[in-house]
Amino acid sequence: MNGFKKFLMQGNVIDLAVAVVIGAAFNAIVQSFVADLLTPLISAFGGLPDFSSLKVTVGQSNFMYGNFVNALISFLMIAAVIYFLVVKPYTHLKERAAAKIESKTRDCPECLSEIPKPASRCAFCSAEVAPAI
């Protein structure tokens, strides 16, 4: 029982629990955005976007493929919202932050040790190095 308690108290388990809760809340926001804003916008241009009544009859069986089409369109809209409102801005901010963090060291061409950029000689192998650009 002590090992289980230690496992639960690890930071990654708590982080995962927080991520699940935040993800569920964010899912509600995205679904509301799709259902309340995007779907009416699409219906304004292309008619009512409800395909649930579409079916194919083979013999005595009805294949209701309209629900699948609705789910597929909903998935694509949610994926687009996630990409353009979360992934793309996050990637942009991450790239901007990475550009600000410029390395203050470089590798020695002789021994591949890490030396300061303004150094003219390697502290490890005493090799002369060209000035950093």
Side-chain angles (χ1 to χ4, degrees):
M1 195 66 170
N2 192 21
F4 183 68
K5 183 179 177 183
K6 186 188 287 187
F7 169 74
L8 287 178
M9 297 309 291
Q10 287 179 347
N12 55 358
V13 174
I14 294 171
D15 292 343
L16 181 60
V18 169
V20 168
V21 171
I22 296 292
F26 188 72
N27 181 36
I29 292 170
V30 171
Q31 284 186 352
S32 174
F33 179 77
V34 169
D36 299 334
L37 299 175
L38 286 182
T39 303
L41 184 65
I42 290 172
S43 67
F45 294 109
L48 187 64
D50 184 20
F51 303 106
S52 61
S53 62
L54 296 176
K55 64 181 178 178
V56 171
T57 303
V58 177
Q60 297 291 327
S61 300
N62 288 330
F63 293 95
M64 306 294 289
Y65 70 91
N67 288 330
F68 175 75
V69 172
N70 276 344
L72 183 64
I73 290 171
S74 178
F75 170 77
L76 292 174
M77 288 193 303
I78 289 172
V81 167
I82 294 291
Y83 177 75
F84 289 111
L85 296 182
V86 176
V87 174
K88 198 164 182 163
Y90 175 74
T91 305
H92 178 71
L93 288 174
K94 192 173 170 185
E95 288 172 355
R96 282 185 65 186
K100 287 182 180 179
I101 302 172
E102 187 177 323
S103 177
K104 295 181 180 186
T105 61
R106 60 185 170 144
D107 290 338
C108 171
E110 296 293 323
C111 68
L112 301 178
S113 298
E114 207 172 78
I115 60 172
K117 277 191 176 180
S120 60
R121 194 173 286 278
C122 177
F124 300 99
C125 69
S126 305
E128 284 192 40
V129 292
I133 298 173

